Amino acid sequence: ESQVPEMRHEWMPPELADLFCHEAETWAADPGIYGMFGAGVCCGALSRAITVQVKDGDPHALKAARLWLGVNAYSGSAKSPILLAMARALEEMQEKLMEEVAYLQKKYIDDKEIYEKQRQGYISAKAKGELGAQRPEEPERPSRNRLIVKNCTIEALPEILAESNRGILGLYDELVAFPKGAGQYKSGGNDIEDMLKLRDGGRHSVDRKGVFIPVKEWSMPIVGGTQPDRIRQTCKRMDLTSNGFLQRFNFYSAREAGLDLDRPAHADFDRLADIVGRIYHLQHNGPVRFSEGAQQVRRQFRVWCFDRRQQAGISDSFKSHLNKYGDMFSEWALTYHAIESADQRCMAIKPEISEATAQRIYNLMTECLYPHAKAFYAEVIEVDSEITKHVRFLAGKILAKGWTSI
């Protein structure tokens, strides 16, 4: 197997890097699991109304943060408990919101009964020709604006997203459960197409069993884990590369956890909850922009991506993944920028992404996520491809014969 780098402190959000590395050391887990899941939860807390203008001269080139992040590791890596720990802040916020919704729902039921009686009186008065009759105002049903869903199928999402104007975060203990659920209820519509559009966002409508459901923000960042064997088998059955599902993810391959240390959790662990809460409440005054220095880094990254796509022997599926790196760069940068704004207790997200943030994302994607993606496609997705078989055969011959040249 390829040697891939563990996520380092300097690639993580500086506001949370100490916490993530301390927790990883305490539990002897791969720090990249904290880095990936922590960033994913922060991305999920950010309203999709907050966007970054990717190109200086194009006010329509706007991108919201909808990262799809996966940790690929065998059982024993501690990815599931880490995912739950990272998402706890959003879950607690959602519980409070649901308590408020429950109160408003009871009030709505009472107001609705009063409205119906007033409406009957209005209809009766109109029928009698009373000129002074006034139509009562119907009460507005409170929306159940959820923040997070767990292991949710595409079948259940339309009604949930229809009541959310900012998008939600999808958590998956096993990522392949999401595409495997597409179409299993056969209720009409194109589940695979609907699933892929979650990465792009925007208005969407779904027709379920003859019921038309309009959604203002069809959007869902996703974080979750998977195991190499499971995703390999699912790819064979469903061909998740040809429809572009896997290429929309950043995958990180984590090592097995070791022997944890006998010490308490990080004293600042509540800081993550505080930052997540502040990200959720961030306001905005128009699109965020890249600073001049950050824009230069983004352009350098585009050149870097172009060069990698031109390499000989690169597979079509991996090239398709690299084609999405430009948008991913902007989404990662906006997520890190939101963390910075929240940590500085800004009411509104800061108007410019700094060069330092852009450079951190450049390093993260070129030095960490790219090697992980390259190994993931070679050893998990394309392990049975003809090219990979020939390369493995040749490598075996070289090792067996001790050849120094061919």
Side-chain angles (χ1 to χ4, degrees):
E1 293 186 358
S2 303
Q3 293 296 315
V4 290
E6 281 192 358
M7 189 177 290
R8 300 203 298 262
H9 186 282
E10 61 263 32
W11 297 332
M12 299 177 183
E15 299 79 12
L16 296 170
D18 287 345
L19 166 63
F20 291 165
C21 289
H22 182 277
E23 289 300 298
E25 184 181 17
T26 299
W27 298 104
D30 191 312
I33 304 179
Y34 286 91
M36 294 292 281
F37 288 163
V41 168
C42 290
C43 176
L46 184 64
S47 171
R48 254 57 80 199
I50 296 178
T51 58
V52 57
Q53 182 174 322
V54 179
K55 299 179 181 179
D56 284 339
D58 187 354
H60 302 292
L62 304 178
K63 194 69 185 175
R66 303 181 186 92
L67 292 170
W68 284 13
L69 307 179
V71 170
N72 173 50
Y74 288 105
S75 178
S77 64
K79 59 183 181 295
S80 293
I82 293 174
L83 177 60
L84 294 177
M86 293 291 98
R88 189 177 300 127
L90 269 183
E91 288 196 272
E92 291 176 354
M93 288 174 59
Q94 180 165 274
E95 288 175 3
K96 293 179 180 179
L97 282 175
M98 291 300 102
E99 290 175 0
E100 294 177 7
V101 169
Y103 168 78
L104 293 174
Q105 183 67 22
K106 291 179 181 178
K107 183 178 183 301
Y108 168 75
I109 292 173
D110 293 340
D111 291 344
K112 185 73 172 178
E113 290 181 0
I114 295 172
Y115 164 76
E116 289 297 341
K117 291 179 180 179
Q118 292 175 340
R119 179 173 172 272
Q120 289 300 323
Y122 166 75
I123 293 173
S124 177
K126 290 289 288 184
K128 294 176 182 178
E130 297 180 10
L131 299 177
Q134 294 185 351
R135 183 190 297 273
E137 185 176 344
E138 184 174 1
E140 183 177 349
R141 186 170 69 86
S143 62
R144 291 168 290 181
N145 198 13
R146 295 174 65 173
L147 308 181
I148 193 169
V149 291
K150 290 184 178 180
N151 303 316
C152 187
T153 64
I154 191 69
E155 175 79 7
L157 274 177
E159 293 185 3
I160 295 173
L161 287 173
E163 297 197 64
S164 174
N165 56 8
R166 53 180 294 132
I168 57 174
L169 174 67
L171 292 185
Y172 289 86
D173 293 328
E174 178 49 66
L175 282 172
V176 298
F178 185 46
K180 284 173 68 175
Q184 67 179 346
Y185 298 101
K186 303 185 184 302
S187 58
N190 189 330
D191 283 350
I192 294 294
E193 184 178 327
D194 292 340
M195 178 182 67
L196 298 179
K197 286 181 178 178
L198 287 167
R199 187 69 174 80
D200 302 323
R203 290 182 178 274
H204 187 52
S205 59
V206 179
D207 194 345
R208 298 289 186 192
K209 300 178 181 178
V211 178
F212 181 77
I213 305 175
V215 180
K216 291 182 179 180
E217 180 55 39
W218 182 257
S219 171
M220 187 171 74
I222 295 175
V223 291
T226 190
Q227 296 187 30
D229 292 339
R230 289 186 180 178
I231 198 163
R232 188 181 297 122
Q233 293 167 4
T234 304
C235 280
K236 288 181 179 179
R237 289 197 300 266
M238 297 188 65
D239 195 11
L240 295 178
T241 55
S242 64
N243 61 28
F245 176 78
L246 284 183
Q247 287 90 331
R248 286 165 164 77
F249 276 89
N250 287 124
F251 277 102
Y252 179 94
S253 297
R255 62 167 170 79
E256 184 179 0
L259 184 63
D260 60 284
L261 302 179
D262 186 13
R263 70 181 186 190
H266 197 280
D268 286 339
F269 199 76
D270 288 341
R271 189 180 185 189
L272 174 62
D274 180 65
I275 287 179
V276 169
R278 292 183 181 279
I279 291 175
Y280 176 79
H281 289 102
L282 277 176
Q283 302 171 14
H284 64 100
N285 299 307
V288 175
R289 294 175 180 269
F290 286 103
S291 68
E292 183 177 347
Q295 193 64 262
Q296 291 178 356
V297 174
R298 188 191 70 83
R299 295 190 187 103
Q300 292 170 4
F301 181 74
R302 289 186 64 202
V303 173
W304 180 91
C305 290
F306 179 83
D307 291 343
R308 297 305 177 281
R309 292 197 300 268
Q310 306 311 308
Q311 291 179 344
I314 187 173
S315 69
D316 289 341
S317 58
F318 188 43
K319 182 179 290 187
S320 175
H321 172 66
L322 291 178
N323 283 337
K324 303 181 187 306
Y325 257 37
D327 285 344
M328 291 175 177
F329 180 93
S330 298
E331 293 177 86
W332 275 100
L334 183 57
T335 299
Y336 275 38
H337 181 66
I339 295 171
E340 177 185 324
S341 298
D343 183 62
Q344 294 178 7
R345 299 180 176 272
C346 300
M347 295 296 292
I349 193 165
K350 296 166 65 178
E352 279 195 346
I353 295 173
S354 68
E355 181 180 353
T357 296
Q359 188 63 55
R360 186 175 290 259
I361 301 304
Y362 181 98
N363 296 340
L364 168 71
M365 297 195 71
T366 59
E367 299 176 26
C368 179
L369 296 182
Y370 174 75
H372 277 265
K374 193 173 182 180
F376 177 78
Y377 278 84
E379 298 171 5
V380 178
I381 305 305
E382 299 157 0
V383 67
D384 294 325
S385 69
E386 288 302 315
I387 293 178
T388 304
K389 288 178 181 179
H390 290 317
V391 170
R392 289 183 183 276
F393 173 80
L394 188 58
K397 281 288 186 181
I398 293 172
L399 290 174
K401 301 292 185 179
W403 294 340
T404 57
S405 63
I406 300 177

